[in-house]
Each structure stands twice: as structure tokens, then as C-alpha cells.
Amino acid sequence: AIEELKLLVDPFILRRTKGQVAKDLPELIELTHLASMTDEQAKYYEKEKSATRNHLAGLDRQSGQFRIHVLSSLMKLRQIANHPVITKADYNGESGKFEDIKDQIRTIVKGGHKVLVFSSFLAHLDLFAQWLQAEMIKYLLLTGSMSSAEREQAVLSFQNDDSFQVFLLSIKAGGTGLNLTAADYVFILDPWWNPFVE
């Protein structure tokens, strides 16, 4: 049964080992860049963190609902750390991380390089898409809602068309079965819970 299943799914799964793709990849240099929040963003983050702490303190820790509330609260705080507008549509301030990444993308694009930008949150990618459009920087987007044909076309465009220098990808959708060797830089904007996914 396992062999039959393998025969059925093999045409849809392409896995290459690190050894097979190593010749296509430049030397890996990892850099963790810590971005500071703006003052307004930090105040909003602290306000939400205090409200979350107070809310969780009033819940029964043994209930299954407690875990759900903890996870959703952590998710909201992660989104605020990216950009508060993700959780609060009427937020008018800036985001330290967003501004830092914008500056780095500008430098990369001016240098004629390509960059992959991964985020766990589609709303975060949408913010970058809006900014890239305003800057008239050509980009591509890959999310889980795209068909396999759309995904393939986006990958081919990024790999073969030098006018596309930025590729915005959802971590979950972009991390499976893709070989994007045209990029010189990879940004993971909000690390996933499971480092293996990265």
C-alpha cells in the first residue's frame, strides 16, 4: 500500500537533497537583525501585553480554552511587533521593523540583487506589496491560495526575469518544494514556531 501511494504522489513532489542543490547556492551567511519598535508601537505593544496578561490571569489554567487564548494572544503580539496596523486598522503610526526592512529592500534592489521575503502573516505581506507598488518596484507574491500553475509561473518569473527583484512568500506556502536560486538574500520577518519550517 505504501509503494502504491508513493507511485501516486511522486509526480507531484520534487525533493532535492542539500547536496544536489549546493552547487546552485552561494555560501550561506546568516544574520539575525533585531529591529527596534517605534515609541508609539512599543506603547501599543505594552498596552496589549498588559491587557492579555490580565485577561489570562482570570482564566482557568486547566481548561482547554486557556491554551487557545494563550496562543491567540501570542499571535496578536507577534503581529503588533511586525506592524500594529495588522491588528488595528486605524493605527496611523510607523513600525520599526517595517521601516528597517523597507530600507534594506531599497538597498538590495538598487544593488541589482534579488530578495525573498517570508512572513507568517498574509496581512504583513500585503503591507509590503502596497509599499512596493507605491515605490514602483516589481514583485511577485506566493500564498497558499494560489493554484499550482500560478505558483509555478511565479517561480519561473522570479528565476528568469531580472525585472522581478522581490518575491513575497507566505512561510507555509513558500517553504515546500520550491527551488529559488536566483535570490541573493532571504528575509524571514517573523520566525515560525517550528524552526524546521524555516
Side-chain angles (χ1 to χ4, degrees):
I2 291 173
E3 286 301 316
E4 285 180 30
L5 180 61
K6 187 175 183 317
L7 287 171
L8 289 172
V9 299
D10 264 355
F12 304 105
I13 299 175
L14 172 63
R15 295 220 186 263
R16 294 168 65 190
T17 64
K18 184 177 177 182
Q20 290 171 310
V21 296
K23 62 186 178 299
D24 299 331
L25 300 174
E27 181 181 338
L28 175 65
I29 299 170
E30 286 189 49
L31 172 68
T32 301
H33 176 77
L34 301 177
S36 299
M37 292 186 201
T38 63
D39 290 341
E40 186 178 354
Q41 181 183 16
K43 285 177 189 171
Y44 178 52
Y45 183 90
E46 287 301 320
K47 178 183 160 195
E48 286 298 318
K49 187 169 78 171
S50 294
T52 295
R53 189 181 308 120
N54 294 339
H55 176 72
L56 292 174
L59 297 176
D60 176 15
R61 290 178 182 247
Q62 304 305 320
S63 75
Q65 291 297 313
F66 181 77
R67 288 184 182 145
I68 292 169
H69 285 292
V70 167
L71 287 174
S72 65
S73 298
L74 287 172
M75 190 74 72
K76 184 174 183 180
L77 292 173
R78 290 180 70 212
Q79 291 171 329
I80 293 169
N82 282 329
H83 200 306
V85 78
I86 296 171
T87 63
K88 185 179 179 189
D90 61 346
Y91 178 83
N92 292 319
E94 297 295 331
S95 159
K97 181 186 282 189
F98 190 64
E99 295 305 313
D100 277 357
I101 298 300
K102 282 171 26 177
D103 288 342
Q104 291 185 41
I105 289 174
R106 276 191 199 103
T107 302
I108 288 168
V109 167
K110 284 180 184 171
H113 298 284
K114 291 189 171 211
V115 60
L116 306 176
V117 180
F118 286 93
S119 179
S120 306
F121 306 108
L122 295 180
H124 198 200
L125 293 176
D126 288 342
L127 291 175
F128 280 99
Q130 292 168 21
W131 171 73
L132 289 165
Q133 285 173 356
E135 294 282 311
M136 292 187 286
I137 298 172
K138 286 182 75 175
Y139 70 94
L140 293 158
L141 178 68
L142 192 144
T143 67
S145 64
M146 296 170 68
S147 70
S148 58
E150 291 171 320
R151 288 168 55 99
E152 184 178 346
Q153 183 55 51
V155 169
L156 288 173
S157 295
F158 185 75
Q159 287 291 99
N160 300 317
D161 186 343
D162 289 337
S163 68
F164 291 109
Q165 292 179 270
V166 181
F167 201 169
L168 306 174
L169 303 107
S170 156
I171 282 184
K172 283 187 151 183
T176 307
L178 299 180
N179 291 307
L180 295 163
T181 56
D184 302 310
Y185 295 88
V186 178
F187 293 164
I188 300 175
L189 302 182
D190 34 79
W192 192 246
W193 306 105
N194 178 357
F196 178 74
V197 174
E198 292 173 28

